[in-house]
Amino acid sequence: MALRFRNFLIPSVLLVCFGHYQGMTQEVTYQEQFRPQFHFSPAVNWMNDPNGMVYYDGEYHLFYQHNPEGIQWGHMSWGHAISTDLVHWTHLPLALPETDSTMVFSGSAVVDWQNTSGFSTSEKPPLVAIYTAHYPTQRKQAQYLAYSNDRGRTWIPYENNPVLDIGMADFRDPKVFWYAPEEKWVMVIALSLERKLHFYESKDLKEWDFLSSFGPTGNADGIWECPDLFELDIENESGVSRWVLEVDQGSEAIAGGSGGQYFVGDFDGTTFTPEHSDIRWVDYGKDFYAAVSWSDVPADDGRRIWLGWMNNWLYANDIPTYPWRSAQSIPRTLTLRRIDDELRLVQRPVQELQTLRQDHLRLEDQVLNGIMDLGEAFAGKSMELLVEFEIGDSDEVGLRVHASDDEATIVSLNFLRGTISVNRRESGNIDFHPTFAGHYHGPVLGFKTRVQLHIFVDWSSIEVFAENGTIVFTNQIFPAMESNRLELYAKGGPARLISLDVWKLDSIWE
Ligand code: FRU
């Protein structure tokens, strides 16, 4: 048998590769229980935040917080993978290892098109990574540079590091972008314990000057980490845009534990001014953290694309996967949409994911009353669903994925409460941590009798995009191997299925 791995045909026997795990050689099959089939995960060992997201010369780079020596957080370094299509990933060697005195924490990367840094050694621009060096013994975090002149394959730490050090213990996660109107670099960075973001500017990535401070505001209950700032178009309002400032918080987010919030407003090159005071959550599920967007996506593509760490600091070190821990979410495009005069962040799965679609199944115009098992043809553990329900006389309508007689993950529209929800209380293995089981609710914006959902189900996750991508739920689940039924249901009276489209999804590892 030959398996397809990226664009190559290779015998399946070669696919069983070996990873290094705590001094032992570990067999990696990508068929392990809970192994994501179309989400990025490291072959072995621990991963947290996505880092250094940059597109260059036909390749999307995904660096990530990685422990190369173990399956729990520690020895923080930058792991590395690349993709030409945002779907299939190739693992590359460790990009930035920890040193004797510093761990490599989160940060960003840019293409220095004009060689402002002087790091280029040819006519090609260098890639420059801007990241936090964490000094475990000194209670200090400072900002470092490293650069690459070989398409990100090898990285050289800048000899005069640090480039920004204010003598603070929790000063981290720099996100840098080119601010074209003033021909300068801008950095947004977190003063985590103070729940503040600082903006800095630079002409050469090496010398940074303070611009302004933002926060605490919105939700400041948890520490602030991993900010991002970018301009987005407003859908259906041609030529109109706003700036979005995103910040993650280590605890007390909407679903409990870590999560992200965003502010919509204006950035004038110095100061970010929000145009609202209410709290806006990026995700209503419990597993979407530290999302950051790709830098340097070509202008003729024009998309702002991000992904987030699909985990939560409450239980990240305990999830029952082996020999790796954590996956990244699917990549999503970002826009803004005006709803009841408020600008909301819209997240949509990138269209490239459609290349994974296998068999297509469709069901239309069904009366639902109680639970309806869709049978063998619709059963599956890795699939994309597009579904539209009509409320009818029901109180609640929805679907049950990864279902068996004993367990299911339930996505529901609850018309009495006016919410969309994901319930993983009986989703499978929930016992590894007391905060894992839960039922998460998000608002349905405005009264409707029909609701459409776009859902991605993998072996250990479910992502639900509702309300045109303005209400999103990202959650991990750990179902039994044999829990693969797909069921529809209505409670309290009959509801109607307008339509259901199901695509089984190919694995990116096969
Ligand atoms: C967020 C975070 C960052 C830090 C990194 C360390 O998850 O705490 O603030 O840079 O993880 O691994």
Side-chain angles (χ1 to χ4, degrees):
M1 176 171 76
L3 297 171
R4 198 154 46 81
F5 181 62
R6 291 177 44 75
N7 301 322
F8 310 109
L9 277 175
I10 52 175
S12 61
V13 65
L14 288 182
L15 249 191
V16 179
C17 63
F18 291 87
H20 196 64
Y21 169 68
Q22 289 179 346
M24 291 148 40
T25 301
Q26 178 66 46
E27 188 181 301
V28 177
T29 62
Y30 295 102
Q31 295 294 307
E32 304 91 350
Q33 189 183 11
F34 308 136
R35 174 68 85 172
Q37 296 298 295
F38 59 91
H39 289 83
F40 177 78
S41 61
V44 294
N45 290 329
W46 168 268
M47 173 174 77
N48 56 292
D49 315 352
N51 293 152
M53 319 277 278
V54 64
Y55 177 89
Y56 180 62
D57 202 12
E59 295 171 339
Y60 292 91
H61 291 263
L62 167 60
F63 301 89
Y64 53 89
Q65 286 287 282
H66 187 46
N67 179 355
E69 293 177 35
I71 200 166
Q72 296 206 317
W73 189 90
H75 300 286
M76 297 320 296
S77 304
W78 277 25
H80 191 192
I82 50 168
S83 173
T84 55
D85 63 1
L86 290 167
V87 177
H88 299 88
W89 295 94
T90 302
H91 292 295
L92 292 183
L94 203 63
L96 293 169
E98 70 167 347
T99 68
D100 290 344
S101 56
T102 56
M103 290 200 218
V104 185
F105 271 22
S106 288
S108 49
V110 294
V111 184
D112 183 7
W113 290 105
Q114 297 174 38
N115 193 25
T116 62
S117 61
F119 287 144
S120 173
T121 51
S122 68
E123 35 337 313
K124 296 237 172 92
L127 291 177
V128 182
I130 309 95
Y131 60 93
T132 299
H134 171 77
Y135 301 66
T137 56
Q138 287 181 42
R139 286 198 47 72
K140 192 172 95 159
Q141 294 180 343
Q143 315 321 314
Y144 276 32
L145 302 181
Y147 57 94
S148 169
N149 279 302
D150 59 359
R151 303 171 78 227
R153 295 325 190 258
T154 57
W155 291 82
I156 303 167
Y158 174 44
E159 58 188 8
N160 293 326
N161 279 330
V163 293
L164 181 57
D165 177 5
I166 57 172
M168 253 198 160
D170 292 277
F171 179 54
R172 60 178 176 268
D173 309 338
K175 174 75 191 214
V176 172
F177 64 94
W178 180 249
Y179 186 71
E182 294 178 29
E183 297 262 298
K184 68 180 185 186
W185 300 103
V186 170
M187 174 197 294
V188 54
I189 184 166
L191 281 67
S192 300
L193 301 193
E194 299 186 5
R195 283 76 164 160
K196 279 185 190 161
L197 303 178
H198 275 186
F199 298 96
Y200 288 84
E201 67 177 4
S202 174
K203 287 288 184 191
D204 60 4
L205 294 165
K206 294 170 176 167
E207 272 189 40
W208 292 92
D209 295 315
F210 176 77
L211 287 172
S212 66
S213 181
F214 176 85
T217 181
N219 189 309
D221 294 342
I223 62 162
W224 281 15
E225 302 181 311
C226 300
D228 200 353
L229 175 66
F230 40 78
E231 194 174 3
L232 290 182
D233 288 339
I234 303 175
E235 291 185 1
N236 309 319
E237 297 182 26
S238 107
V240 190
S241 66
R242 288 289 189 286
W243 286 79
V244 172
L245 180 61
E246 196 269 351
V247 64
D248 295 276
Q249 50 188 92
S251 60
E252 318 298 331
I254 178 79
S258 46
Q261 62 181 313
Y262 67 94
F263 303 90
V264 182
D266 184 43
F267 180 68
D268 63 4
T270 303
T271 308
F272 177 82
T273 311
E275 58 182 49
H276 59 97
S277 55
D278 60 314
I279 298 165
R280 300 196 180 161
W281 298 106
V282 167
D283 199 290
Y284 288 85
K286 211 161 176 168
D287 296 302
F288 190 73
Y289 195 64
V292 276
S293 64
W294 264 283
S295 181
D296 295 284
V297 173
D300 61 0
D301 178 318
R303 290 178 296 175
R304 177 62 56 173
I305 308 165
W306 78 0
L307 52 68
W309 178 44
M310 207 157 46
N311 216 332
N312 190 307
W313 279 117
L314 283 174
Y315 44 71
N317 278 287
D318 302 302
I319 58 168
T321 59
Y322 181 83
W324 80 99
R325 240 195 209 114
S326 285
Q328 305 294 349
S329 76
I330 52 173
R332 306 160 180 190
T333 58
L334 302 175
T335 53
L336 289 168
R337 176 180 272 259
R338 200 180 291 278
I339 298 172
D340 297 336
D341 232 27
E342 305 283 3
L343 291 172
R344 304 274 163 186
L345 185 67
V346 176
Q347 300 183 67
R348 292 203 176 85
V350 294
Q351 79 208 14
E352 285 90 334
L353 288 162
Q354 292 177 14
T355 59
L356 293 175
R357 288 176 176 177
Q358 305 285 93
D359 312 341
H360 176 215
L361 296 159
R362 189 175 160 89
L363 205 60
E364 290 175 347
D365 202 15
Q366 302 279 320
V367 175
L368 304 174
N369 208 350
I371 296 180
M372 178 196 254
D373 177 0
L374 298 184
E376 211 31 55
F378 283 83
K381 300 199 298 178
S382 164
M383 51 191 170
E384 177 185 350
L385 312 163
L386 204 55
V387 63
E388 188 171 5
F389 293 111
E390 191 173 65
I391 170 175
D393 292 322
S394 72
D395 295 338
E396 186 182 319
V397 60
L399 27 80
R400 296 157 50 91
V401 304
H402 277 286
S404 68
D405 291 346
D406 304 318
E407 61 192 43
T409 299
I410 305 164
V411 181
S412 61
L413 307 170
N414 189 314
F415 297 108
L416 296 178
R417 294 178 63 145
T419 63
I420 301 173
S421 73
V422 177
N423 183 348
R424 67 176 182 192
R425 283 203 182 116
E426 294 178 7
S427 55
N429 184 346
I430 52 165
D431 295 332
F432 58 89
H433 197 277
T435 61
F436 181 76
H439 188 173
Y440 311 109
H441 293 268
V444 183
L445 302 171
F447 179 80
K448 293 188 195 63
T449 56
R450 282 187 182 198
V451 178
Q452 211 184 46
L453 303 172
H454 194 184
I455 303 174
F456 283 78
V457 179
D458 203 340
W459 285 14
S460 55
S461 65
I462 175 166
E463 286 156 282
V464 178
F465 299 83
E467 301 290 272
N468 289 308
T470 54
I471 305 292
V472 181
F473 297 81
T474 307
N475 283 294
Q476 297 182 91
I477 45 172
F478 301 103
M481 276 296 223
E482 55 285 358
S483 298
N484 67 353
R485 292 205 303 247
L486 176 62
E487 301 170 339
L488 303 175
Y489 78 97
K491 262 192 199 167
R496 198 154 73 94
L497 173 77
I498 305 295
S499 64
L500 168 70
D501 289 284
V502 177
W503 292 269
K504 305 286 177 67
L505 296 182
D506 204 358
S507 170
I508 63 172
W509 306 119
E510 291 179 343

